[in-house]
Amino acid sequence: VILTRRIDSVTHPVIEFLQRFEPQSSDGIVVRLKLAVPLALGGLVLLVTLPLWMAWLAFLLRFRPKLNQRTTQEHLAPPPNAEFLFFLFLDHANCDALVGDLEERYRLIHQKFGQWRADFWYWTQALRSVGPILSAGAKKIAMKPFIGLIGWAVMKGLWGDATCSAALVKLWKRVLS
Amino acid sequence: MAKGDHLGEFEQLILAALLILGPDAYGMTIHERAEKLAAGIRSVSLGSVYTTLDRLEQKGYVKSWFSDPTPERGGRSKRFFEITGSGEVALKNSVRLTGNVLAGLREIGGLA
């Protein structure tokens, strides 16, 4: 109900706006617009979140099947959404090792204290671990354009352009000499 | 010792845990040992342990290898870690530096 109201609240002004240009519009056009606008909005949301859906699909196809290899303790599976966090932000080998470590401990907690506590522990570990993984990844990514920028400045300076980069290179050479 | 060879506090902690654990050092055991060593001082997450181990491996202080997958880990393999010779040297230097700082502070009564 809330979703329908929200869609209505978004579509209603749009329809009113469009009707200004179509004063003779019949109910048919309004109905078509009422369908078209939510569909377009839905499509847009789907398009924006497409990389996430693709990653989820890859997770299900490549990573998750390993869980199905279990035969004896199938019910002791950690929450898949928490695993997906690691799949998103880690390379495959590290993800495999880290999730394996967590799953090993998850089973012990599950057997001792039950599923609720094990799930809580798993989610806590997942959320605490994502921060450092993200910041390490961001540092790596941020360094690349920075190094590229320095490289570009040095190269441009070496080719003798009368720019500030050339002045920087001259200054650097003076410092070195 | 070059400037880039210095270890951060967390790197020191992880290398110390690796040295204590010896051949049984993999993600979860390193995490547990590091938590014990840092008890009451700072918190340690498994994610930060892995990112630090990756960084130390790039520096050449740690080497790692994967074991065969085991059913109790949901068909996943363990990643074992071992401290290298240069890692041990870096850790010794780092600890020595901390020791010198501590001794200096004790001399002036800075740390009661």
Side-chain angles (χ1 to χ4, degrees):
Chain A
V1 170
I2 292 166
L3 189 69
T4 318
R5 277 183 193 162
R6 287 245 168 105
I7 289 170
D8 272 352
S9 68
V10 172
T11 54
H12 194 67
V14 177
I15 289 164
E16 272 187 349
F17 177 76
L18 288 170
Q19 275 177 336
R20 280 185 204 170
F21 303 100
E22 290 256 4
Q24 72 280 16
S25 66
S26 64
D27 284 348
I29 289 173
V30 175
V31 170
R32 259 182 276 157
L33 279 172
K34 265 197 168 179
L35 273 174
V37 174
L39 276 175
L41 282 173
L44 192 69
V45 170
L46 198 70
L47 200 70
V48 170
T49 55
L50 192 65
L52 205 64
W53 294 113
M54 296 291 279
W56 178 254
L57 192 69
F59 170 69
L60 290 177
L61 290 173
R62 281 178 56 194
F63 196 67
R64 197 67 186 161
K66 291 196 173 182
L67 298 179
N68 298 331
Q69 289 171 11
R70 287 178 303 214
T71 51
T72 51
Q73 294 172 311
E74 190 67 39
H75 63 288
L76 297 178
N81 295 336
E83 282 179 46
F84 182 58
L85 279 180
F86 294 118
F87 181 77
L88 268 184
F89 301 120
L90 277 173
D91 59 278
H92 189 67
N94 262 338
C95 182
D96 214 38
L98 197 149
V99 171
D101 285 343
L102 284 177
E103 187 162 342
E104 198 182 308
R105 188 49 47 92
Y106 174 87
R107 284 170 182 235
L108 286 174
I109 297 170
H110 195 292
Q111 280 164 354
K112 270 189 177 179
F113 303 107
Q115 180 154 12
W116 190 88
R117 199 152 163 185
D119 279 354
F120 180 77
W121 176 84
Y122 198 93
W123 269 109
T124 314
Q125 289 299 319
L127 293 174
R128 275 179 68 200
S129 297
V130 162
I133 291 166
L134 268 179
S135 68
K139 272 180 201 165
K140 266 186 201 170
I141 293 165
M143 279 305 283
K144 281 175 188 168
F146 184 66
I147 291 167
L149 197 69
I150 290 173
W152 171 81
V154 170
M155 290 308 284
K156 204 169 178 188
L158 286 174
W159 261 294
D161 273 9
T163 55
C164 60
S165 55
L168 274 174
V169 171
K170 274 180 191 169
L171 188 71
W172 179 244
K173 279 177 182 170
R174 272 187 198 170
V175 170
L176 285 179
S177 64
Chain B
M1 194 180 185
K3 194 184 172 186
D5 294 343
H6 284 302
L7 294 175
E9 179 202 63
F10 199 70
E11 289 175 333
Q12 203 176 323
L13 186 71
I14 297 297
L15 283 181
L18 277 180
L19 207 61
I20 294 165
L21 286 166
D24 191 36
Y26 69 97
M28 195 44 89
T29 52
I30 298 167
H31 177 227
E32 278 175 356
R33 181 60 67 167
E35 269 193 330
K36 270 184 196 168
L37 290 173
I41 300 166
R42 62 168 296 169
S43 66
V44 180
S45 72
L46 195 60
S48 56
V49 168
Y50 267 91
T51 49
T52 308
L53 283 165
D54 266 349
R55 197 167 60 242
L56 288 169
E57 195 170 27
Q58 278 170 9
K59 287 181 180 178
Y61 294 157
V62 161
K63 61 181 176 183
S64 71
W65 66 96
F66 288 90
S67 72
D68 291 330
T70 53
E72 64 268 15
R73 291 168 62 86
R76 296 189 175 88
S77 49
K78 267 183 197 172
R79 188 178 177 191
F80 282 98
F81 294 90
E82 191 183 54
I83 189 167
T84 60
S86 57
E88 274 188 53
V89 171
L91 182 64
K92 274 178 194 167
N93 285 333
S94 187
V95 170
R96 214 167 58 196
L97 183 71
T98 313
N100 289 347
V101 172
L102 201 64
L105 284 170
R106 276 189 181 141
E107 270 176 30
I108 58 155
L111 284 177

